[in-house]
Amino acid sequence: MYVSMREMLAKANREKYAVLAINCFNLETAKAVIDAAEEMHAPIIVDLLQDHLKMHLDYRYLTQPIIRMANNAKVEVAINLDHGQDVAFVKQCLQEGFSSVMMDASMYPLEENIRITKEIVQFAQQFNASVEAEVGDLGVVDGNQWTNTEMYTNPDDAIQFIQATGVDCLALSYGSTHGDYPEGYVPEFRFDIVEKIKQVTQLPLVLHGGSGAGEENIRQSVALGINKINVGSDFMKAQSLEIQKQLAKDAMIGYPELIHATMAAGKEVVKKYIEIAGSKNKAL
């Protein structure tokens, strides 16, 4: 069933669990994610990153086939544009059929972020699509050094942003990052940020950089009001490692068999995160 994030996150908000959003970049990764969700009877979000769509495979070749997969699925499936930073591109994705988009204008001052996001919220209404945004600046991995100076979301800014824009959900920076952490590093989360914003707004809140965040951090985040968790690196890493494993066993393995093996490996990661986020058996 193809839906927007609005309904599935509203249910997650009421019932205190989180929906997984998995970064996909082709039909095989999208199918692996949807298959995993069906096996776990969980709602799921197929995240299509703007950078992947521009550099790898155009949204015009991906959107409609994934929508068909979603409509044939036994669980709710949303397609979300992840980190859309080009306003025109975000609008094009909505026109193409995306049920949800993220307008990421977090690199701008707060008032400009509000202005840009509000424009997309209003534009998305004609498609009955949901809108995610971000306030704050996720930390980065710089070589072996973890940097988090001034990365945290200001709760008062986030509350003002939510009230001014009417977004359906908001991504916060409270300890996680995109990509891989240095080996052995487990990030420290500022849960007070989540608590304050949730208490005032009751909006579905989003954790980006779920890969490597740590099971306990994720469970605590969900308990305090995170209702969407983005996972990309662990999903893709599992598939890369599976390629290495299969080629080590048989360097001449058939390409279709190789791809099916990577899909199976990716599915297991998605199922693990669904379990941690509490969305197993939460599909309608």
Side-chain angles (χ1 to χ4, degrees):
M1 182 193 324
Y2 187 46
V3 300
S4 81
M5 296 193 306
R6 183 180 296 118
E7 294 82 4
M8 62 169 64
L9 295 186
K11 182 174 183 289
N13 198 9
R14 290 193 303 270
E15 300 181 17
K16 302 185 187 312
Y17 62 89
V19 179
L20 265 295
I22 310 295
N23 281 120
C24 302
F25 62 93
N26 59 15
L27 297 181
E28 288 83 1
T29 47
K31 185 166 192 311
V33 166
I34 294 171
D35 286 352
E38 286 191 308
E39 289 181 20
M40 299 293 279
H41 195 62
I44 200 75
I45 298 162
V46 174
D47 255 0
L48 299 177
L49 184 67
Q50 177 182 290
D51 286 351
H52 287 163
L53 294 173
K54 287 191 171 185
M55 294 186 297
H56 179 67
L57 196 58
D58 192 280
Y59 68 90
R60 291 169 294 183
Y61 306 132
L62 279 178
T63 310
Q64 293 305 317
I66 297 177
I67 289 174
R68 182 170 293 177
M69 287 186 208
N71 278 324
N72 289 335
K74 299 180 179 70
V75 298
E76 308 96 285
V77 180
I79 299 176
N80 181 51
L81 174 65
D82 191 26
H83 287 284
Q85 297 181 342
D86 179 335
V87 170
F89 189 85
V90 173
K91 290 181 176 180
Q92 288 167 354
C93 288
L94 285 165
Q95 291 168 329
E96 185 65 20
F98 277 58
S99 62
S100 305
V101 293
M102 178 189 186
M103 182 65 244
D104 181 8
S106 60
M107 70 292 297
Y108 296 107
L110 182 64
E111 290 304 323
E112 183 67 0
N113 190 355
I114 288 173
R115 185 194 67 78
I116 293 170
T117 304
K118 193 171 181 179
E119 177 186 344
I120 293 299
V121 168
Q122 292 171 345
F123 185 81
Q125 288 175 356
Q126 63 187 297
F127 304 98
N128 196 29
S130 61
V131 178
E132 175 184 349
E134 182 174 318
V135 174
D137 184 15
L138 285 167
V140 297
V141 176
D142 181 14
N144 290 322
Q145 300 299 313
W146 169 246
T147 61
N148 61 7
T149 305
E150 299 181 352
M151 62 172 279
Y152 295 107
T153 298
N154 180 314
D156 293 330
D157 286 350
I159 292 165
Q160 178 187 345
F161 182 92
I162 290 165
Q163 293 171 342
T165 60
V167 290
D168 296 283
C169 58
L170 185 68
L172 309 177
S173 178
Y174 63 104
S176 64
T177 188
H178 297 112
D180 293 328
Y181 297 99
E183 187 173 353
Y185 182 90
V186 178
E188 294 183 13
F189 278 25
R190 285 272 312 277
F191 293 112
D192 59 298
I193 293 172
V194 179
E195 285 184 285
K196 181 173 181 179
I197 297 167
K198 192 72 171 192
Q199 184 177 26
V200 175
T201 69
Q202 294 302 306
L203 191 80
L205 301 176
V206 182
L207 167 64
H208 280 217
S211 298
E215 182 173 334
E216 186 53 41
N217 280 336
I218 291 176
R219 291 189 187 278
Q220 181 71 0
S221 295
V222 173
L224 293 174
I226 292 294
N227 301 119
K228 173 177 178 277
I229 298 172
N230 286 24
V231 172
S233 295
D234 280 356
F235 176 61
M236 294 184 189
K237 188 188 301 181
Q239 294 171 84
S240 296
L241 290 173
E242 186 64 24
I243 290 173
Q244 296 175 37
K245 176 183 171 183
Q246 293 296 328
L247 290 177
K249 287 167 52 179
D250 179 5
M252 297 304 294
I253 184 174
Y255 188 66
E257 290 77 15
L258 179 62
I259 296 305
H260 279 289
T262 67
M263 291 169 66
K267 274 175 57 177
E268 291 308 308
V269 171
V270 176
K271 289 163 68 175
K272 181 191 80 171
Y273 274 103
I274 286 173
E275 191 84 52
I276 295 170
S279 56
K280 181 180 179 181
N281 292 324
K282 292 295 185 178
L284 294 175

